[in-house]
Amino acid sequence: MSIEQLINDCKKNNIKAQEQLYRQYAPKLFSVCLKYSSNYTEAQDNLQDSFLLIFEKIHQFSFKGSFEGWLKRLVINHILQKYRAESFLSLVDEEIKDEVEVEIEEENVSIDFLLKIIQELPERYRLVFNLYAIDGYSHQEIAEMLNITVGTSKSNLSRARLILKGKIENNSGNSNIPLVK
């Protein structure tokens, strides 16, 4: 079945089509949920809620642009809206320090470890870090998405990078925690 047919069947609330869509896109969208969630269980909840929203809004997809991109944006916006509603995004001091660059020797740090320390970031730092460093949004776009100022976005990114840098440096000196699986 083509993706167009699958989408059209989902628009008609065809349960088998919805199940197929879920099976096809859940793994990719779960990785998005993991980036924006503080733990695995929260990511599962966000994925479930996102698919309910996808099936509710699929009739809005007009076959212009990438369907996968539309899904990803819907998931990210849903998660950000949830955090805004729960008031996790309090304003912070906008004092912007120099950009902190974190250089990682990829062969020395596992993806699991990076995901774990990103998930441990305070909510506002994690959201800004993921939006900017991983998903490529500009500070202006992030400010609009999170209803914060550009300066707050930059400050939160800088603080997230400092925290991550510290955790990576601390981990590299700790022989009890493996850097690579």
Side-chain angles (χ1 to χ4, degrees):
M1 178 184 303
S2 72
I3 190 65
E4 291 83 11
Q5 184 62 49
L6 183 62
I7 293 168
N8 284 327
D9 286 353
C10 285
K11 287 181 178 184
K12 296 174 187 172
N13 293 321
N14 179 310
I15 293 173
K16 290 200 183 288
Q18 290 174 338
E19 181 181 348
Q20 185 178 343
L21 185 86
Y22 180 87
R23 290 185 189 280
Q24 187 170 342
Y25 288 100
K28 290 178 184 176
L29 297 178
F30 185 66
S31 67
V32 172
C33 291
L34 271 174
K35 289 188 304 189
Y36 289 92
S37 302
S38 60
N39 58 54
Y40 192 86
T41 303
E42 185 179 301
Q44 288 176 314
D45 290 344
N46 284 332
L47 179 68
Q48 202 65 25
D49 292 344
S50 293
F51 265 100
L52 292 174
L53 184 65
I54 287 166
F55 294 137
E56 179 184 317
K57 295 191 177 261
I58 198 161
H59 67 278
Q60 294 176 0
F61 182 72
S62 60
F63 298 96
K64 293 179 183 170
S66 160
F67 181 63
E68 189 173 320
W70 182 82
L71 292 172
K72 182 180 174 183
R73 187 166 199 96
L74 197 65
V75 169
I76 291 171
N77 286 337
H78 173 69
I79 293 170
L80 294 179
Q81 185 176 23
K82 176 182 165 186
Y83 286 120
R84 281 193 300 263
E86 293 176 1
S87 301
F88 280 117
L89 298 174
S90 58
L91 291 177
V92 296
D93 181 6
E94 291 188 22
E95 177 186 327
I96 301 170
K97 299 178 181 175
D98 293 333
E99 279 284 306
V100 175
E101 289 297 322
V102 179
E103 292 188 26
I104 302 170
E105 293 181 31
E106 290 181 31
E107 63 275 1
N108 291 335
V109 180
S110 74
I111 296 298
D112 290 339
F113 174 71
L114 289 175
L115 180 59
K116 178 182 176 292
I117 64 173
I118 290 170
Q119 287 177 329
E120 290 173 351
L121 287 171
E123 301 294 337
R124 63 183 176 263
Y125 298 167
R126 185 178 69 244
L127 294 175
V128 171
F129 179 82
N130 281 320
L131 288 168
Y132 184 85
I134 297 181
D135 290 323
Y137 288 96
S138 70
H139 285 294
Q140 182 63 44
E141 291 170 315
I142 295 167
E144 291 169 9
M145 292 169 84
L146 300 180
N147 198 25
I148 59 176
T149 67
V150 170
T152 298
S153 177
K154 289 178 180 181
S155 175
N156 286 346
L157 176 64
S158 178
R159 290 177 179 158
R161 286 179 169 166
L162 280 171
I163 292 168
L164 292 173
K165 181 179 180 186
K167 288 185 179 205
I168 290 168
E169 288 171 352
N170 287 340
N171 188 62
S172 64
N174 184 347
S175 59
N176 295 331
I177 302 173
L179 291 176
V180 179
K181 277 189 162 182

